[in-house]
Amino acid sequence: MKEKNDKKTIWAWCMFDWANQSYNMVITSTIFPAYYVAITANEKNGNMVSFFGHKYVNTVLQNYILGLSYLLIVVSLPILTSIADYRGNKKKYLQFFTWIGSLACAGLFFLEPDKPIEFGMICFGIASIGYCGGFVFYNSYLPQIATLDKQNDVSAKGFIYGFLGSIVSQLICFAVVLSPKIMPSIVGKETDALDSLLARISFLIVCVWWLGFSLIPFKILPKGEPNAGSHKFNVFTGGFKELAKVFGKIKTMPLVKRFLPAFFFYSVGVQTIMLVAAEFAAKELHMKDDDLITIILVIQVVAILGAWLTSIASNKYGNTRALIVLVVFWTITCLCVYFIANQTQFYFAAFAVGLVMGGVQSLSRSTYAKLLPPNIPDTASFFSFYDATEKLSIVVGLFTFAVVEDLTHEMRDSALTLDGFFIIGLLLLFVLHFTERKVTKLEAVAA
């Protein structure tokens, strides 16, 4: 096992973010949402699609499938991560989820216009499971590879690599999708069939990018160490026992058990807005694919700046204070989304989201890592609670967003509903802040 803060190990860890954010950019944020809305749009029938004989509004079905995939992760990952800690093989799980996620992206190539959507949407759900599953084991490496004083910076560095990787991969896919406009004499004149083919080729590019660059962390990252004494149990019994032990430990940690509820509520808003932003722009504002991809790229670039500034601010003022400021910003921005009426206003909102998006994700991860006891052996099990909290927040957010849209037929009403989650999360962060101050005073008295 290498010493913490090893530059090569940290670089390899960051490269996993570089690899898998191509999925997050192309499949959840830009080309796939726009492509899906385009091939399923039918104003006469209320944009209804058929899925195994049942009728759904196209974007509602998309959100239900995403929500279901996250729910499956929530149910299964605490067990898988406890088994990974028990056996010391979390890198194998990292590889497994990466393979199924990237290959599912390749399966999206078969989602064609005017053909059944069942296989393509199942691949859409499986890709989400692969992305989320891999991230749990990736996150659990943070306290293993970085000392406490370096975790904010390393966490921010991982997100910066992710944003940069997503931008580069998006530009490649962007060039492919727009090639008929850029090079019509070489590619051919723009037609619906050609547009569909090029969009689906971008899904194959994501598969190759995600899987190809993941080979770097697969080779360099440590595989993990089995927990002491875990050999007394078989693999399944040991996994459940480890899960129960970690849950018991969390209940005795006053700061961790206050952070997780706050993280849950503000993550409902953060994660859902990030996932449905492209749907909102395409459906409510009728933005063209070119404009939509451009604005998401702007968000990613601004997010790099946001993650860097947040790392500096948190080191100077403390993690919880920085999180409170970020969530206040998110609350105001989410409220403004309800009143957006044109593309210019959406650009301003997107810039604001980008500025706080990278910061809140990076700082949340490093804050949780800092609150954990030092040198814990079962990092995957502890981080399973963090990731399960995040994924459960996405389930609640997506289903809330879908149900409100289904009832009111207005995505704006869904966005307004999310603001309530931000407010609750903000109040719980203040509770965490006061608890931290109390714990600090008690420790000073004890010293």
Side-chain angles (χ1 to χ4, degrees):
M1 176 69 182
K2 291 184 179 180
E3 294 292 327
K4 292 184 178 182
N5 301 332
D6 177 74
K7 290 184 178 179
K8 186 176 181 181
T9 302
I10 291 174
W11 170 74
W13 182 78
C14 292
M15 286 304 295
F16 186 79
D17 221 333
W18 168 282
N20 71 4
Q21 287 305 308
S22 59
Y23 158 83
N24 203 23
M25 180 62 133
V26 177
I27 306 303
T28 66
S29 299
T30 56
I31 296 178
F32 179 80
Y35 173 74
Y36 172 74
V37 169
I39 68 170
T40 57
N42 190 330
E43 295 294 341
K44 292 181 179 179
N45 296 323
N47 294 319
M48 301 295 288
V49 294
S50 176
F51 188 71
F52 289 108
H54 297 277
K55 297 290 185 179
Y56 301 91
V57 176
N58 53 2
T59 50
V60 170
L61 173 65
Q62 185 179 4
N63 289 331
Y64 278 152
I65 290 176
L66 265 183
L68 180 59
S69 68
Y70 283 109
L71 181 60
L72 291 174
I73 288 292
V74 170
V75 172
S76 62
L77 276 180
I79 300 169
L80 291 175
T81 49
S82 62
I83 294 173
D85 274 329
Y86 161 69
R87 295 294 296 269
N89 60 355
K90 61 184 175 185
K91 187 156 78 168
K92 289 185 178 179
Y93 286 89
L94 187 71
Q95 294 169 325
F96 170 74
F97 282 104
T98 299
W99 273 96
I100 66 168
S102 57
L103 292 178
C105 288
L108 292 175
F109 180 82
F110 301 100
L111 182 62
E112 302 180 54
D114 302 320
K115 290 189 178 180
I117 66 171
E118 283 81 2
F119 178 75
M121 296 310 290
I122 289 173
C123 286
F124 176 65
I126 294 174
S128 172
I129 291 172
Y131 171 77
C132 298
F135 234 99
V136 173
F137 298 98
Y138 164 74
N139 283 339
S140 72
Y141 272 103
L142 181 58
Q144 186 178 342
I145 65 174
T147 55
L148 191 64
D149 61 313
K150 298 292 184 182
Q151 287 173 5
N152 277 354
D153 294 337
V154 172
S155 180
K157 187 176 182 180
F159 274 101
I160 289 172
Y161 266 68
F163 292 133
L164 287 172
S166 68
I167 290 170
V168 176
S169 61
Q170 176 66 86
L171 287 173
I172 294 172
C173 293
F174 198 22
V176 171
V177 172
L178 296 182
S179 57
K181 296 180 179 179
I182 300 172
M183 301 177 295
S185 60
I186 298 175
V187 181
K189 292 183 178 180
E190 188 175 5
T191 64
D192 290 343
L194 182 58
D195 288 346
S196 169
L197 175 62
L198 295 175
R200 291 183 290 118
I201 287 175
S202 72
F203 307 150
L204 297 179
I205 293 173
V206 171
C207 170
V208 174
W209 180 281
W210 186 358
L211 191 57
F213 281 107
S214 292
L215 296 178
I216 295 172
F218 291 168
K219 182 177 173 119
I220 297 175
L221 286 178
K223 71 172 185 177
E225 298 290 335
N227 282 345
S230 61
H231 63 277
K232 297 178 182 179
F233 312 105
N234 65 46
V235 63
F236 294 105
T237 305
F240 281 106
K241 287 183 179 291
E242 181 64 23
L243 181 62
K245 183 177 72 173
V246 170
F247 180 68
K249 288 180 181 178
I250 286 178
K251 290 195 297 183
T252 66
M253 301 174 186
L255 298 181
V256 175
K257 72 179 184 181
R258 283 168 176 78
F259 169 76
L260 286 175
F263 175 63
F264 168 79
F265 280 100
Y266 71 71
S267 286
V268 170
V270 171
Q271 299 296 332
T272 307
I273 286 177
M274 288 165 53
L275 289 169
V276 302
E279 294 178 21
F280 181 89
K283 196 170 182 179
E284 291 289 323
L285 304 177
H286 307 289
M287 289 183 66
K288 296 180 180 179
D289 294 357
D290 304 2
D291 295 330
L292 186 59
I293 293 173
T294 300
I295 200 171
I296 297 298
L297 283 172
V298 170
I299 290 176
Q300 298 299 105
V301 173
V302 175
I304 295 173
L305 175 63
W308 177 66
L309 292 175
T310 299
S311 176
I312 295 174
S314 59
N315 287 333
K316 185 174 182 179
Y317 300 107
N319 287 29
T320 305
R321 287 182 179 178
L323 276 173
I324 288 172
V325 172
L326 288 172
V327 175
V328 167
F329 205 92
W330 269 105
T331 305
I332 297 171
T333 303
C334 185
L335 179 62
C336 292
V337 168
Y338 180 82
F339 300 99
I340 289 176
N342 55 57
Q343 294 186 21
T344 302
Q345 293 173 356
F346 187 78
Y347 269 96
F348 279 107
F351 184 89
V353 167
L355 196 60
V356 292
M357 179 178 71
V360 75
Q361 290 178 292
S362 170
L363 192 57
S364 296
R365 180 171 63 188
S366 62
T367 299
Y368 182 73
K370 281 188 170 185
L371 294 177
L372 295 177
N375 301 316
I376 54 172
D378 43 0
T379 55
S381 291
F382 270 99
F383 262 91
S384 74
F385 280 88
Y386 173 85
D387 285 281
T389 300
E390 182 182 57
K391 302 308 179 287
L392 185 60
S393 73
I394 297 173
V395 172
V396 172
L398 286 172
F399 275 98
T400 300
F401 199 92
V403 168
V404 172
E405 183 189 359
D406 203 21
L407 294 174
T408 67
H409 302 288
E410 286 288 342
M411 296 183 83
R412 297 174 189 275
D413 294 335
S414 298
L416 189 61
T417 303
L418 295 179
D419 215 33
F421 291 98
F422 277 120
I423 293 171
I424 296 173
L426 181 61
L427 294 175
L428 291 174
L429 279 176
F430 277 111
V431 173
L432 172 63
H433 177 60
F434 293 134
T435 304
E436 279 183 323
R437 294 177 61 183
K438 184 177 180 180
V439 169
T440 302
K441 288 180 180 180
L442 291 175
E443 289 176 347
V445 171

